[in-house]
Amino acid sequence: MHLEDRINALVQLGHKLRSEDEYREAVIHRTHFNNQWFTKDNQRQAITAIAESFLEETKLRDWVSNYKIETLDPQTIALVLAGNIPLVGFHDVLCVFLSGHHAQIKLSEKDQYLLPYLFRELKQIDERTVEYFSLVEKLNGFDAVIATGSNNSSRYFESYFSKFPNIIRKNRNAIAVLSGTETSTELKSFGQDVFQYYGLGCRNVSKIYVPEGYNFEPLLEALHEYKEIVLNDKYKNNFDYNYAILVLNKVKYMANGCIILQENKQIASHIAGLHYEFYNEVSEIEEEISNRAEEIQLVVAQDGLLSVPTFPFGAAQQPGLADYADGVDTLSFLLDLP
């Protein structure tokens, strides 16, 4: 397939994902049965985001136009996909396909059905796409690797895949910097950054930085708008467990029934938790962001508050095609392989 053929197939896939499909609903139901974190609404939300942000023709063509994608000798790229949120590895798959390489994919046990469904749809659009993807239990015969996992698994990946060109991703989380001047609308939108996909994504905010003397009441009130999140038994169990631990250990905390705020220097927080830390000057936070860049996926803040790039409230889980995980340009990596 030429690049134009691949782009056209993806655009048509985007059109199909925007329409109703009984088979897709069956796949969504099966996925939820397999993984209770992947609610039907969250799966639909992830699929819609892919269709609108990644597979919309103008956005796709504008993104690709920034690269020199030529006919090349295709290589086999091993993809070890994460399973923390639905279809979290789709962008890597997209990059491999557009670059003209072959993706050898090891799915996460937590997300086994959605990506094969997308491949099925692509095959119906253009049978030639089947040459670009293979799903395997064990990786072998590959030329390069893109692997996403935890800090623990990344050490294994770095050792096992060290002799191959690779991108190895570790744990990262988003942070937010609040000024205390946020409107109630901004704070409510911020709840999406915290709660979407139950906070399990690397783009979810797990820590906030607030000015000394910050009034937490408006924030807690705004976040309480998402109180129905506790209707998910798995989330509620985590909330209750972590709440009980803090009470038993007599640790200072704030809670509103659906989120627990705790002063903590760590960026990663537990499920149903949000860490906070005080600051005096914005310059302190910019230095913190620089020093802890390896832990931070992105920063949410009011426009103009910081000199570093930021996302607006409510947009943390709305990446564009050029918003690469860990800031590593995946498509350039694939196009520059020896």
Side-chain angles (χ1 to χ4, degrees):
M1 296 177 70
H2 297 296
L3 174 61
E4 184 66 18
D5 298 324
R6 299 196 294 274
I7 291 175
N8 286 335
L10 291 168
V11 171
Q12 290 183 59
L13 176 63
H15 291 322
K16 294 191 75 169
L17 296 181
R18 294 184 191 97
S19 62
E20 294 183 1
D21 181 359
E22 290 184 3
Y23 183 81
R24 180 169 67 240
E25 285 301 306
V27 173
I28 287 173
H29 180 82
R30 185 182 186 188
T31 298
H32 177 59
F33 182 81
N34 179 67
N35 182 353
Q36 296 298 303
W37 285 115
F38 285 16
T39 64
K40 295 176 184 179
D41 284 343
N42 278 351
Q43 292 180 67
R44 295 185 190 111
Q45 193 171 50
I47 291 169
T48 299
I50 285 172
E52 295 181 351
S53 297
F54 291 173
L55 303 181
E56 195 278 322
E57 184 169 9
T58 301
K59 293 177 182 177
L60 192 58
R61 291 187 180 279
D62 286 348
W63 175 54
V64 170
S65 69
N66 295 311
Y67 301 86
K68 190 175 182 180
I69 303 177
E70 301 175 331
T71 303
L72 44 70
D73 292 328
Q75 299 189 50
T76 298
I77 314 301
L79 298 181
V80 181
L81 303 186
N84 49 328
I85 66 175
L87 290 169
V88 67
F90 179 79
H91 192 273
D92 287 338
V93 175
L94 177 66
C95 287
V96 174
F97 181 54
L98 284 170
S99 67
H101 294 303
H102 176 86
Q104 184 182 117
I105 303 166
K106 182 169 177 54
L107 296 170
S108 167
E109 292 182 356
K110 298 176 182 178
D111 193 2
Q112 302 179 51
Y113 308 114
L114 291 174
L115 193 57
Y117 160 75
L118 297 185
F119 292 156
R120 173 184 180 272
E121 296 300 303
L122 274 174
K123 180 182 177 181
Q124 292 182 354
I125 292 167
D126 192 324
E127 286 192 0
R128 293 174 295 174
T129 59
V130 298
E131 302 172 5
Y132 290 85
F133 312 106
S134 59
L135 302 173
V136 300
E137 290 295 324
K138 185 176 181 180
L139 301 168
N140 63 81
F142 50 85
D143 303 294
V145 183
I146 302 174
T148 304
S150 66
N151 289 342
N152 288 332
S153 62
S154 68
R155 286 191 285 270
Y156 163 77
F157 292 154
E158 288 170 348
S159 173
Y160 188 76
F161 299 130
S162 60
K163 64 180 180 180
F164 300 95
N166 64 68
I167 297 175
I168 307 297
R169 302 198 184 104
K170 306 176 182 178
N171 284 348
R172 289 199 185 209
N173 296 89
I175 65 169
V177 182
L178 305 183
S179 67
T181 63
E182 290 79 16
T183 65
S184 58
T185 300
E186 287 177 318
L187 291 177
K188 184 176 180 180
S189 295
F190 173 61
Q192 290 286 336
D193 304 322
V194 176
F195 292 116
Q196 195 169 3
Y197 303 118
Y198 298 104
L200 296 174
C202 65
R203 301 181 66 88
N204 286 107
V205 172
S206 59
K207 181 172 182 177
I208 59 174
Y209 292 86
V210 297
E212 288 285 354
Y214 181 77
N215 178 13
F216 284 93
E217 288 299 323
L219 175 62
L220 288 167
E221 183 177 339
L223 295 182
H224 191 254
E225 294 288 327
Y226 297 84
K227 57 184 178 297
E228 290 187 0
I229 196 170
V230 297
L231 296 178
N232 181 294
D233 290 341
K234 293 177 76 67
Y235 185 92
K236 182 63 162 57
N237 290 341
N238 275 274
F239 179 93
D240 291 343
Y241 173 80
N242 289 306
Y243 183 86
I245 292 296
L246 292 173
V247 171
L248 289 172
N249 291 331
K250 298 182 179 179
V251 176
K252 182 181 177 182
Y253 67 91
M254 291 175 278
N256 64 359
C258 59
I259 193 77
I260 304 168
L261 273 64
Q262 176 190 359
E263 187 172 5
N264 195 311
K265 291 188 176 297
Q266 292 184 359
I267 288 177
S269 63
H270 53 71
I271 296 173
L274 184 64
H275 290 170
Y276 67 87
E277 190 172 342
F278 294 105
Y279 69 88
N280 290 305
E281 301 291 339
V282 169
S283 58
E284 300 173 17
I285 305 306
E286 295 184 332
E287 184 177 356
E288 173 92 345
I289 292 170
S290 176
N291 292 339
R292 306 183 71 174
E294 294 298 315
E295 301 175 65
I296 299 171
Q297 189 66 263
L298 60 91
V299 182
V300 173
Q302 288 175 323
D303 186 39
L305 180 63
L306 304 171
S307 61
V308 300
T310 60
F311 280 74
F313 295 112
Q317 281 289 0
Q318 299 173 20
L321 285 162
D323 293 319
Y324 295 101
D326 297 7
V328 178
D329 189 324
T330 314
L331 195 49
S332 287
F333 166 78
L334 293 165
L335 296 173
D336 294 339
L337 289 173

